[in-house]
Amino acid sequence: MNMASLLNSILVVVLVMNLFALGASRVHAVIRIVAAQGAILGLIPLLAPQHLTIPALLMVVAAMGIKGAVIPGIMMRALRDAALKREVEPLIGRLPSTILGAAATLLALLFAGQLPLAGPHDVVLLVPASMATVLVGFILLTTRYTALNQIVGYLVLENGIFIFGMLLVEAMPLMVELGVLLDLVVGIFVICIIVNHINRAFSSLDTRQLSSLKE
Amino acid sequence: MALCMILLPLLMAAIALLIPVGRGRPWRPWLFPLTAVTQMTLVVITLAGGTLTGIGLGWLDAGVSGDWLVLDPPGRIVLLQVSVLYLFCSFYAVGYLRYRKETANRVFCACLLAFLGAMNLVVWSHHLGVMWVAVEATTLVTAPLIYFRRTRESIEATWKYLLVGSVGIAMALLGTYFLAYSLVHVGLGAPLTMEGLLAHAPQLSKPWVQAAFVLLLVGYGTKMGLAPMHTWKPDAYGEAPGVVGALLAGGVTSCAFLVLVRVTHICQAAGEGVLTSRLLLFLGLFSMIVAAMFMAAQRDFKRLLAYSSVEHMGILALGLGLGGPALFGTMLHVLTNGLTKGVLFLSAGNIHRAYGSKSTDQVRGVFRRLPLSGTLFFLGFLAITGSPPFGPFISEFAILTGSFQLGRFAVGGAFLVLLLVVFIGMSRTVLRAVQGRPPVTAGGSAPVRETLLTILPPALLMLLVLLLGVIIPAPLDALLKDAAAYMNSLPGPGLGGLP
């Protein structure tokens, strides 16, 4: 199997995980799916042997560690502290939102065909996979009511952007990539602290309770 | 110089964290003025063309990458504005934290100090990736500042700020990647620095540049608070302490605007001037309309200021969209708006504290009860709505003249009408608050004293705003003209726009 088809198979797995994330009912499960997705994505740079330098390997380790272990760890901790009693039904049910996600994936595949791509990128699914994952992230963000589910949506969105970043291995210096990852970790950390305080003040992670500030 | 300015506040933040929890509380805030005065000194040296070597500290500059950290002309304006605002806010913060003796301030102090470092990084960064990291860093360090009061409302505000801000900034990251891909697509291996992008701008892949600009505008527009991405703003500004509101409305927004200026500059150089101008004008006018609508019936005077910020970000986007002769006024407006927002938020903080409320249902007769804060708040209102002889009048007038010089009469006319509507809407709430008799019950019976540390900073800022309306000093004029010329230049083969 050549590199392009191997990469494409990985991306298909990532796309399927998007749909699983939309369909899973328990927050634990969703966090695990997104952690696995992040870890798989971290592997992608290994598929381009011509880029296998020490900085690239460092990047692989950092991305896999952060997306696959550190962030899920922070979120699981927040979940444990919150002692979630029951799941809140999303705005759009799980099956309909899975179908919506599949439709978004299809749209992304069609749309990406319209974009001009550099020669070697034409055969791989990086651009449509990236856009589909970003769209699924948006679906999760807008249709889920609990704080942790919304963070998962944000992570899926970030994973989608990360996939696009794979096209830019040469253009983006390591320092910047690491900075992006660092910002992501600190961001999730700060958000989880706030989630903890939401839980203490409102005894729930349902963000519909956060509605006292309005015109 | 760059590294020094970025690392010094971070070092101070570390010191703030190291100061023992209990005993250190009263004097930890004095780190703000110390940092701010050092920063101001460094800024003056930098703007006067000096270097660290000139003052015998050259070793601090060693090892700085040449093209990542560069101070371009628009950056000079923002650096000056942010530093002046931070200087006055730093003294106010000391006074403010004296009222909050019982509250732990370790995280607050560390975050407020690190915030300056993050803003400096935005201003100095000339690499789009670094710029993104820096803007995101400003979001993260300001979140705990909004949450300082630990009320249910402030949690809600912080949550919305983080979520909307993070998603917006994620769009900016995707836009940055698209812009990088526009280089890769045409087979260029140039770095993502301003110089690299500007030098190759005409060759960039057009569809990717267009998509990148839309995403970057949405992303950094969210940080600026352009409508319709402004939804976090009234909540965050309303719940944050006054001094944080001042630094958000005059610091974060200016930094986000600076990044937008740079991005627009690249896209214009890539030949997408028509698209950028159209989108910026649309978002600018839309922000002004939305702000005018929500200001009309606003009872909460801090939320009122938030919508005023939406309006002024709209003005900045409008000025940038007009381009050409309007750019001088736009850059001046960064300065005048940022400083006036300082006056308004700091005096509003005093009023809020004295009345224990920010609704005009309770807040009446501020002139009688808090004569100094009330006067400053009122003068700040006159200034921000563009009344002569204050600074914003000059900058808004310059943008208006620019639009007429360009023949954009419809845009100029709409701008003028919206300014008038905003003036009427804002005056209702402000007049309701400052006039009349103070209610007897509000804030208990103890008379509220206005202290030097919470009055002098907004008063001096007000003086600066007035001075900017009367005269623009020659060195500042030169800086503004440089910035406008830089933004007007179209680099490329034979044009040579870079200084």
Side-chain angles (χ1 to χ4, degrees):
Chain A
M1 199 160 25
N2 66 9
M3 284 304 163
S5 56
L6 188 59
L7 179 59
N8 281 348
S9 354
I10 290 186
L11 289 172
V12 170
V13 173
V14 167
L15 289 175
V16 172
M17 289 180 125
N18 282 340
L19 302 184
F20 275 134
L22 283 168
S25 60
R26 293 177 60 84
V27 191
H28 289 93
V30 185
I31 295 176
R32 286 212 187 93
I33 291 169
V34 176
Q37 191 183 44
I40 292 176
L41 288 179
L43 278 174
I44 293 183
L46 291 178
L47 293 179
Q50 68 273 29
H51 300 133
L52 268 195
T53 51
I54 298 291
L57 280 177
L58 194 68
M59 189 59 210
V60 169
V61 174
M64 285 185 69
I66 287 174
K67 285 177 179 282
V70 178
I71 291 177
I74 298 174
M75 291 188 65
M76 282 296 187
R77 211 193 136 89
L79 187 60
R80 212 169 39 243
D81 291 346
L84 206 62
K85 282 141 216 114
R86 55 183 184 85
E87 300 289 334
V88 180
E89 273 305 305
L91 173 69
I92 299 176
R94 296 195 169 81
L95 184 63
S97 59
T98 310
I99 294 169
L100 199 62
T105 309
L106 204 65
L107 259 176
L109 278 165
L110 289 176
F111 177 68
Q114 309 288 315
L115 282 168
L117 290 174
H121 299 144
D122 236 357
V123 283
V124 290
L125 288 172
L126 281 171
V127 175
S130 155
M131 288 180 178
T133 311
V134 167
L135 287 175
V136 168
F138 265 119
I139 296 176
L140 280 167
L141 260 170
T142 46
T143 61
R144 302 296 144 109
Y145 288 126
T146 57
L148 281 167
N149 272 315
Q150 290 174 350
I151 303 176
V152 170
Y154 173 63
L155 282 176
V156 172
L157 182 69
E158 281 280 346
N159 279 348
I161 297 173
F162 186 84
I163 299 176
F164 195 90
M166 291 299 137
L167 293 171
L168 307 166
V169 188
E170 300 96 340
M172 275 288 181
L174 179 75
M175 279 280 285
V176 174
E177 294 280 10
L178 288 180
V180 171
L181 278 176
L182 181 73
D183 269 342
L184 185 64
V185 176
V186 179
I188 297 295
F189 181 67
V190 174
I191 293 177
C192 283
I193 292 175
I194 297 297
V195 165
N196 193 353
H197 284 273
I198 292 178
N199 186 49
R200 255 189 269 161
F202 297 89
S203 320
S204 150
L205 288 183
D206 192 339
T207 49
R208 278 171 296 180
Q209 307 234 356
L210 303 176
S211 59
S212 58
L213 299 175
K214 54 181 173 236
E215 294 312 326
Chain B
M1 190 61 89
L3 221 50
C4 189
M5 274 194 198
I6 295 156
L7 293 181
L8 178 84
L10 297 183
L11 179 74
M12 291 293 190
I15 294 176
L17 283 177
L18 287 175
I19 291 176
V21 175
R23 282 168 298 147
R25 197 179 290 164
W27 57 277
R28 195 182 285 120
W30 284 102
L31 287 171
F32 300 138
L34 182 65
T35 314
V37 170
T38 320
Q39 157 99 0
M40 202 63 225
T41 319
L42 291 176
V43 168
V44 170
I45 294 172
T46 310
L47 294 185
T51 55
L52 281 177
T53 325
I55 51 171
L57 290 170
W59 51 274
L60 281 173
D61 259 343
V64 180
S65 160
D67 355 320
W68 281 25
L69 300 174
V70 177
L71 192 61
D72 53 12
R76 285 165 198 270
I77 305 290
V78 174
L79 182 65
L80 180 68
Q81 182 257 312
V82 167
S83 306
V84 170
L85 181 68
Y86 196 89
L87 179 67
F88 290 106
C89 285
S90 71
F91 285 95
Y92 183 95
V94 176
Y96 168 71
L97 288 175
R98 279 197 185 158
Y99 289 108
R100 297 266 177 278
K101 281 207 180 79
E102 67 293 346
T103 318
N105 63 19
R106 202 162 71 127
V107 173
F108 182 85
C109 290
C111 285
L112 200 60
L113 288 163
F115 177 36
L116 181 66
M119 286 198 290
N120 281 340
L121 182 57
V122 178
V123 171
W124 279 91
S125 60
H126 239 213
H127 185 289
L128 280 180
V130 180
M131 242 180 265
W132 183 87
V133 170
V135 174
E136 171 74 0
T138 62
T139 313
L140 296 178
V141 293
T142 44
L145 299 177
I146 297 171
Y147 183 47
F148 182 59
R149 267 202 277 265
R150 313 250 151 176
T151 56
R152 287 167 73 116
E153 288 78 21
S154 66
I155 298 179
E156 184 182 336
T158 313
W159 171 254
K160 288 181 182 167
Y161 177 69
L162 274 172
L163 211 64
V164 177
S166 302
V167 172
I169 204 81
M171 292 295 100
L173 181 63
L174 194 57
T176 306
Y177 281 179
F178 275 23
L179 206 51
Y181 194 71
S182 73
L183 268 173
V184 175
H185 180 243
V186 288
L188 291 166
L192 209 51
T193 55
M194 289 293 288
E195 279 72 18
L197 283 163
L198 286 173
H200 299 288
Q203 294 112 282
L204 296 179
S205 159
K206 291 270 188 296
W208 287 101
V209 173
Q210 290 165 356
F213 182 74
V214 172
L215 287 170
L216 288 162
L217 179 62
V218 168
Y220 292 120
T222 310
K223 284 302 294 172
M224 271 174 81
L226 287 172
M229 294 87 76
H230 70 289
T231 47
W232 57 274
K233 215 169 193 177
D235 299 344
Y237 289 10
E239 296 310 314
V243 62
V244 176
L247 284 170
L248 286 174
V252 174
T253 53
S254 298
C255 287
F257 178 67
L258 174 63
V259 178
L260 198 57
V261 164
R262 289 172 178 160
V263 167
T264 309
H265 190 47
I266 293 169
C267 294
Q268 280 170 349
E272 293 299 330
V274 179
L275 175 83
T276 60
S277 164
R278 207 171 277 164
L279 286 175
L280 283 166
L281 284 178
F282 173 74
L283 276 191
L285 282 174
F286 185 67
S287 301
M288 290 183 76
I289 293 170
V290 168
M293 271 163 40
F294 282 95
M295 274 156 115
Q298 190 56 251
R299 283 164 180 273
D300 182 324
F301 61 83
K302 274 179 135 177
R303 291 176 78 88
L304 181 79
L305 297 185
Y307 284 111
S308 167
S309 179
V310 174
E311 178 216 346
H312 286 271
M313 289 307 116
I315 296 179
L316 290 181
L318 184 94
L320 183 61
L322 285 168
L327 289 175
F328 178 87
T330 309
M331 286 324 281
L332 180 61
H333 198 69
V334 171
L335 207 61
T336 54
N337 169 55
L339 300 183
T340 316
K341 280 293 177 330
V343 177
L344 282 165
F345 274 95
L346 296 185
S347 54
N350 290 344
I351 299 170
H352 185 185
R353 195 159 45 246
Y355 283 82
S357 162
K358 50 197 177 70
S359 160
T360 50
D361 294 336
Q362 281 90 43
V363 180
R364 295 287 184 86
V366 180
F367 273 150
R368 294 191 186 206
R369 189 154 172 172
L370 298 168
L372 294 172
S373 298
T375 311
L376 285 171
F377 187 66
F378 185 69
L379 288 177
F381 148 71
L382 286 180
I384 206 70
T385 46
S387 320
F390 301 102
F393 169 72
I394 305 292
S395 50
E396 284 169 11
F397 191 72
I399 295 173
L400 186 68
T401 337
S403 75
F404 288 148
Q405 278 174 16
L406 286 164
R408 310 292 294 258
F409 296 103
V411 174
F415 175 62
L416 205 57
V417 171
L418 284 167
L419 283 181
L420 189 70
V421 175
V422 164
F423 179 83
I424 296 169
M426 199 170 174
S427 67
R428 273 188 46 186
T429 311
V430 172
L431 289 176
R432 231 171 106 88
V434 293
Q435 290 178 328
R437 290 190 165 278
V440 211
T441 48
S445 52
V448 187
R449 278 189 33 244
E450 301 177 294
T451 60
L452 196 63
L453 277 172
T454 51
I455 284 299
L456 208 54
L460 289 174
L461 275 173
M462 193 67 234
L463 194 66
L464 274 182
V465 173
L466 177 63
L467 282 177
L468 278 176
V470 179
I471 182 173
I472 298 171
L476 178 62
D477 190 58
L479 282 179
L480 289 166
K481 286 202 171 106
D482 268 1
Y486 173 82
M487 289 150 73
N488 266 329
S489 63
L490 283 183
L495 288 165
L498 276 173

